[in-house]
Amino acid sequence: MRCPSCGSEDVKVIDSRAANDDAAIRRRRECEHCGHRFTTYETIQQTPLMVVKSDGSSQVFKRDKLMHGLVTACAKRDIAPATLEALVDDIESELQSSPQHQVRSHTLGDMVMHRLAHIDDVAYIRFASVYKDFKSIREFKQALEGM
């Protein structure tokens, strides 16, 4: 760490404490050369999650996009927003804890469907109809019979 005032590398930590709900460490530092005091923050740098689409392209995982799909599937259903937040939190945590930093869109869709099946049957079918791209009534019937 270099002093922002004089550039010296002779800097000592004089105070450390948790910050940002324990997601970071705040360190108060002092330059031993010029006496300048400054604050730094230490945080975990997470590698962004990537979603690999069926066409082979990839994009950054977007929590908001997943939440939007869930809200659409759950429209006019008696499902608390907190329940959907918890579902997205659960999926994101599972993905973050994985040693790989990418997930196939098919796997992500299956994760959502598995969780939705335990929350609401109608929301599950709505999500499945878009995710599986149902083309006919027969496909709807097969999905309903498989529940």
Side-chain angles (χ1 to χ4, degrees):
M1 181 66 57
R2 291 183 183 265
C3 172
S5 180
C6 71
S8 172
E9 291 184 16
D10 296 324
V11 176
K12 66 180 179 181
V13 175
I14 55 176
D15 181 44
S16 288
R17 65 180 71 165
N20 297 337
D21 295 327
D22 293 333
I25 298 174
R26 176 186 179 272
R27 299 198 193 280
R28 191 73 181 140
R29 299 176 184 267
E30 181 177 33
C31 177
E32 294 183 332
H33 180 73
C34 71
H36 179 73
R37 290 185 174 200
F38 59 99
T39 302
T40 60
Y41 290 89
E42 181 179 322
T43 60
I44 295 173
Q45 184 173 358
Q46 295 189 1
T47 305
L49 294 169
M50 300 300 291
V51 177
V52 180
K53 308 293 253 174
S54 57
D55 67 0
S57 66
S58 60
Q59 65 183 52
V60 174
F61 170 80
K62 294 180 182 156
R63 178 186 175 89
D64 293 341
K65 185 175 179 180
L66 178 56
M67 182 58 92
H68 177 73
L70 287 169
V71 167
T72 301
C74 297
K76 298 184 181 180
R77 302 298 299 159
D78 190 21
I79 301 171
T83 301
L84 298 180
E85 285 286 341
L87 187 150
V88 174
D89 287 346
D90 187 46
I91 289 173
E92 192 171 19
S93 292
E94 185 176 333
L95 294 174
Q96 287 286 359
S97 65
S98 170
Q100 297 186 4
H101 298 288
Q102 61 182 14
V103 62
R104 301 196 65 73
S105 60
H106 178 76
T107 304
L108 182 58
D110 288 345
M111 292 170 75
V112 172
M113 286 183 50
H114 175 74
R115 286 163 176 84
L116 264 182
H118 298 288
I119 294 172
D120 187 89
D121 292 341
V122 174
Y124 169 83
I125 289 297
R126 285 178 178 169
F127 187 86
S129 71
V130 174
Y131 168 61
K132 300 250 185 204
D133 194 25
F134 291 165
K135 302 278 189 222
S136 69
I137 298 284
R138 188 181 71 233
E139 292 178 89
F140 267 102
K141 286 173 83 173
Q142 289 172 345
L144 288 170
E145 290 167 1
M147 288 182 68

